[in-house]
Amino acid sequence: MSKAIRIHAHGGPEVLTYEDSDPGQPGAGQILIRHTAMGLNFIDVYHRSGLYPPPGGFPLIPGGEAAGVVLAVGVGVDWLRPGDRIAYAVNVGAYSEERVIAADRVVKVPDGISDEQAAAMMLKGMTAEYLLRRTYKVKAGDTILYHAAAGGVGLILGQWAKHLGATVIGTASSADKVELAKAHGFDHVINYKEQDFVAGVAAITGGKKCDVVYDSVGNDTFPASLDCLRPLGMFVSFGQSSGPIPPFPMSLLAQKGSLYATRPTIFVYNAKREDLVASAQALFEVVLSGAVEVKINQRYALKDAAQAQSDLEGRKTTGTTILIP
């Protein structure tokens, strides 16, 4: 019998239970896959804790990114066959040994990229793609600020932004994380435990500040992130690891320099099949070229998902983490 992690009610990591799970057979437009590796992300914690409503309610199998092998295809799926290597980034359902999924939500994994790499980078890497190439189109000469620089998205985005010719500033919470971020494309990394990051950004930029701030931290970095932006700069809030940003008046954006603000999600940016494929292709290209290196810093067994999430919340992990069936 296949196994999966399920949540039956909101709570701490202890609500993640390792259970038998029958994935069933694929219907029209679907495929049955056997996972070889799964990614760990903060959105998994949000679904568990109730910060984000669980899609489909309970019981819930969390997890939004994985890689695996096609076991069977349903009617109407003519571009995949059993044995093909695939990967995906969706909302939930990845914490499982096997699953049925819509075929139009997966992409083939090219030679040169391992299953573990694919599982570790699909959600994080395509998040970096849409942030850098679509939400705000980073170009040579831009200056950007990225919070949580030593996290999974940060280590990919730092390298990619540097590849695009930007000056890349990051924040991190320890000396080790500062050095890790500097080894992954960041030109400057501010230890926010030791230095006010607003003052740090002003010093680094000579008072000119940044074109864009990418903020997945939320409550702890707002509204200070706005003070790191030049007039007409863009504030991109795409996560809330420290809690949600409190409500604020739109007039604050005017006061801070006629700023732009947006709250994007990957599932809207890649809702169309053609956008998903283009995003994945761009990610695969920068990884295969060597411009972006994806390192896996932690591995946990699927049955130990509770410990993995606990370590993630406790900021004991860096970069990418995967679960192995």
Side-chain angles (χ1 to χ4, degrees):
M1 175 65 73
S2 179
K3 294 285 190 178
I5 295 289
R6 281 201 181 89
I7 302 170
H8 295 272
H10 293 308
E14 70 280 355
V15 303
L16 297 167
T17 59
Y18 187 59
E19 304 175 357
D20 290 340
S21 177
D22 182 1
Q25 291 300 309
Q30 297 179 323
I31 57 173
L32 172 66
I33 58 178
R34 174 177 54 81
H35 286 141
T36 50
M38 295 141 277
L40 178 74
N41 296 280
F42 251 105
I43 193 172
D44 309 343
V45 175
Y46 300 158
H47 286 146
R48 188 206 75 219
S49 68
L51 187 60
Y52 288 177
F58 295 118
L60 170 72
I61 297 176
E65 68 179 345
V69 179
V70 176
L71 297 179
V73 301
V75 175
V77 181
D78 58 4
W79 59 280
L80 288 170
R81 64 184 61 187
D84 283 346
R85 298 169 59 234
I86 58 87
Y88 65 82
V90 296
N91 226 329
V92 293
Y95 285 20
S96 56
E97 291 180 343
E98 297 180 2
R99 78 173 297 180
V100 169
I101 190 171
D104 68 356
R105 291 293 89 195
V106 310
V107 296
K108 288 185 178 181
V109 178
D111 293 341
I113 293 177
S114 71
D115 285 11
E116 288 195 355
Q117 282 181 309
M121 74 181 187
M122 294 305 294
L123 186 63
K124 303 171 192 68
M126 290 194 296
T127 295
E129 184 279 325
Y130 83 75
L131 290 174
L132 291 171
R133 290 164 33 104
R134 290 185 278 168
T135 303
Y136 178 91
K137 294 183 179 181
V138 172
K139 60 186 182 303
D142 283 345
T143 300
I144 76 172
L145 173 64
Y146 184 92
H147 290 300
V153 177
L155 296 185
I156 294 174
L157 185 141
Q159 298 175 79
W160 203 334
K162 192 63 182 174
H163 176 64
L164 293 173
T167 297
V168 193
I169 305 172
T171 66
S173 61
S174 69
D176 288 347
K177 290 184 177 182
V178 166
E179 292 308 311
L180 181 63
K182 285 183 176 179
H184 288 78
F186 286 86
D187 297 290
H188 311 274
V189 185
I190 301 163
N191 185 335
Y192 64 82
K193 297 287 189 181
E194 299 177 353
Q195 180 185 12
D196 175 72
F197 69 79
V198 176
V201 166
I204 291 167
T205 63
K208 294 181 180 180
K209 303 184 182 181
C210 300
D211 298 282
V212 59
V213 173
Y214 296 112
D215 191 339
S216 65
V217 176
N219 181 70
D220 288 357
T221 48
F222 187 85
S225 285
L226 302 182
D227 294 321
C228 297
L229 286 165
R230 61 161 174 78
L232 306 182
M234 178 175 284
F235 172 63
V236 182
S237 170
F238 69 101
Q240 47 198 43
S241 60
S242 69
I245 290 174
F248 66 93
M250 290 293 288
S251 59
L252 182 63
L253 300 177
Q255 296 166 17
K256 299 288 187 180
S258 295
L259 304 178
Y260 296 89
T262 184
R263 180 58 173 88
T265 71
I266 187 175
F267 304 117
V268 173
Y269 272 80
N270 285 352
K272 295 179 180 178
R273 171 71 184 171
E274 57 265 36
D275 291 330
L276 168 65
V277 171
S279 182
Q281 185 62 36
L283 173 62
F284 291 149
E285 286 177 0
V286 293
V287 173
L288 289 170
S289 74
V292 172
E293 184 178 6
V294 178
K295 293 181 180 178
I296 298 159
N297 292 347
Q298 297 84 207
R299 292 173 174 83
Y300 298 81
L302 175 61
K303 64 182 178 62
D304 296 326
Q307 185 62 55
Q309 287 200 6
S310 179
D311 289 349
L312 178 65
E313 289 181 279
R315 301 189 185 280
K316 296 178 181 178
T317 65
T318 59
T320 57
T321 301
I322 61 171
L323 305 174
I324 304 296

